Amino acid sequence: MTKQTIFSGMQPSGKPHLGNYLGAIKNWASLQDEYNCIYCIVDLHSLTVRQNSAELRQNARNLLTLYIAAGLDAEKNIVYYQSHVPGHAQLAWILNCYTYMGELNRMTQFKEKSSKHAENINAGLFTYPVLMAADILLYQAGLVPVGDDQKQHLEICRDIAVRFNNIYGDTFTVPEAYIGKAGARIMSLQEPEKKMSKSDAGTENDLIYLLDEPKAVISKIKKAVTDSENQVRFAPEKPGIANLINIYCAVTKKTVPETEKEFENSGYGAFKTAVGECVAAELEPVRRRYEELTKDKAYIDSVIKNNAARANELAERTLKKVSKKVGLPLEI
Ligand code: TYM
């Protein structure tokens, strides 16, 4: 039986954090044996917000290196830059013509981002979900492992795919979101009502970066905002502790009741130490491997080149099929 295809991606804007890891990358690594996995650095998406060019280019390379350091095998999976496969932009244009303004107007991330970047509400920001749909549909992916915040984008992607299939007959696989339980929405350590986010952080203590040293990880978790009850209990009115329980469960694979039981006789101090230590232990090998990989420029260059070629080959197949259906010329 042929394996199902998985597609996911991450923007190379800013430094990746624990939410990106627990909501996405950690799940990606666990799926690589069972599926054909394609993991993209979605650099075209990052252009919807103003970037420093040199930083963006460097961040993209760092992120690709980090994918590998976090356990994504660059031969088994395809790890590549979105901008190296022109098919993404080409299919996005075609799908733009099958997407309604009303649908895009309902996207909460567009509303949030346009209020944050009021000086630059560009058309790319508005049609961002169409490019994301193109990313996924280009590879006929059946499953898309993402954090909770991408749910709405997955829904519009499915709607576009179904609409296209209804008009032209079976063309695209209609993908499902794969959202893990524990790590799907990691919150800020200082403002636990808000999502942990690279673009929305108030201070360095809000988030744990994947490349933070163990000391920094432990110290940031010690400083995490909690409440005065001093009882490790998962409850909506205790967002700080609920977030730490979530983090602990996502890393250790324990359940919430198991965690509550484990710490029923400890106060927040001991619990925070345990959370800090397990996160530091999880991230330390990634950080070390990353340090090593950055020294091997030739290897990273070869991964970038070979994987772009593999991705292009797959993308071409779907593009040919779509071009034929919509009436574009087939060969020059
Ligand atoms: P991005 O770059 O914002 O985030 C990458 C992944 O990390 C997840 N994530 C989180 N998970 C848990 N808690 C958090 N605090 C947290 N913050 C981020 C995101 O859900 C995501 O899975 N639009 C996407 C990138 C994208 C994409 C795609 C994803 C473009 N095309 C096609 C999947 C398929 C984005 O901006 O993710």
Side-chain angles (χ1 to χ4, degrees):
M1 216 176 79
T2 51
K3 289 181 179 174
Q4 204 181 10
T5 299
I6 282 196
F7 182 95
S8 199
M10 191 170 290
Q11 294 192 61
S13 22
K15 293 192 277 182
H17 55 72
L18 188 64
N20 298 137
Y21 180 76
L22 295 178
I25 303 179
K26 187 172 160 73
N27 292 332
W28 299 356
S30 71
L31 295 164
Q32 60 188 339
D33 293 322
E34 262 177 87
Y35 297 89
N36 286 326
C37 299
I38 306 174
Y39 296 125
C40 186
I41 314 286
V42 293
D43 46 8
L44 296 176
H45 277 95
S46 291
L47 298 181
T48 53
V49 172
R50 288 282 174 272
Q51 306 284 340
N52 172 299
S53 327
E55 266 174 30
L56 179 63
R57 198 170 293 117
Q58 187 57 50
N59 283 342
R61 192 177 172 95
N62 294 350
L63 187 56
L64 185 126
T65 310
L66 190 68
Y67 279 7
I68 303 171
L72 300 180
D73 184 315
E75 275 80 47
K76 213 183 282 173
N77 307 286
I78 300 182
V79 289
Y80 73 106
Y81 296 155
Q82 184 183 34
S83 59
H84 279 172
V85 179
H88 288 258
Q90 210 170 334
L91 183 60
W93 175 258
I94 296 174
L95 296 182
N96 264 322
C97 304
Y98 296 84
T99 308
Y100 297 111
M101 301 284 281
E103 289 175 300
L104 293 173
N105 260 326
R106 285 197 291 274
M107 295 291 115
T108 50
Q109 234 175 53
F110 171 68
K111 291 182 200 158
E112 275 167 28
K113 283 200 179 167
S114 38
S115 66
K116 234 186 282 163
H117 302 280
E119 73 304 336
N120 181 21
I121 307 177
N122 58 68
L125 202 57
F126 189 63
T127 60
Y128 179 112
V130 184
L131 179 58
M132 180 159 162
D135 298 342
I136 299 165
L137 302 181
L138 194 55
Y139 299 97
Q140 307 289 352
L143 213 56
V144 184
V146 281
D148 186 63
D149 60 343
Q150 298 299 317
K151 223 179 189 165
Q152 204 185 25
H153 288 161
L154 253 294
E155 275 157 23
I156 193 174
C157 171
R158 288 170 56 88
D159 291 344
I160 297 169
V162 168
R163 181 171 307 138
F164 196 98
N165 286 350
N166 283 340
I167 302 172
Y168 295 106
D170 236 7
T171 310
F172 296 122
T173 303
V174 181
E176 305 269 348
Y178 173 104
I179 299 177
K181 258 195 204 135
R185 181 170 281 261
I186 301 299
M187 311 306 279
S188 154
L189 297 178
Q190 292 299 313
E191 293 179 84
E193 300 80 13
K194 278 181 23 188
K195 190 182 75 169
M196 185 178 282
S197 155
K198 43 196 164 198
S199 57
D200 208 17
T203 73
E204 289 280 295
N205 287 331
D206 274 323
L207 15 75
I208 290 174
Y209 295 113
L210 291 194
L211 297 174
D212 273 346
E213 303 237 356
K215 249 174 46 196
V217 172
I218 290 169
S219 144
K220 285 180 183 180
I221 290 199
K222 279 222 166 96
K223 289 185 199 139
V225 166
T226 50
D227 54 81
S228 54
E229 192 192 62
N230 209 26
Q231 201 187 340
V232 181
R233 182 170 70 80
F234 191 94
E237 69 277 12
K238 291 157 64 71
I241 282 296
N243 189 34
L244 293 183
I245 293 178
N246 241 333
I247 293 174
Y248 188 73
C249 291
V251 173
T252 60
K253 304 272 180 218
K254 289 179 185 167
T255 64
V256 172
E258 279 165 1
T259 305
E260 287 174 332
K261 180 113 195 50
E262 185 178 348
F263 295 98
E264 67 186 341
N265 297 319
S266 0
Y268 289 168
F271 177 55
K272 282 178 162 180
T273 304
V275 178
E277 281 173 358
C278 82
V279 174
E282 173 90 10
L283 299 186
E284 184 53 4
V286 178
R287 198 178 65 83
R288 282 182 193 278
R289 176 119 179 83
Y290 176 87
E291 296 290 329
E292 270 176 31
L293 281 167
T294 49
K295 289 180 205 144
D296 198 346
K297 186 172 176 304
Y299 172 67
I300 298 295
D301 286 344
S302 76
V303 166
I304 292 172
K305 200 164 164 210
N306 296 339
N307 280 300
R310 291 166 69 203
N312 263 307
E313 211 180 298
L314 294 176
E316 274 301 315
R317 285 189 210 161
T318 301
L319 262 182
K320 271 208 180 121
K321 196 167 161 188
V322 171
S323 299
K324 193 168 166 193
K325 300 247 178 180
V326 298
L328 297 175
L330 298 179
E331 308 284 346
I332 298 178

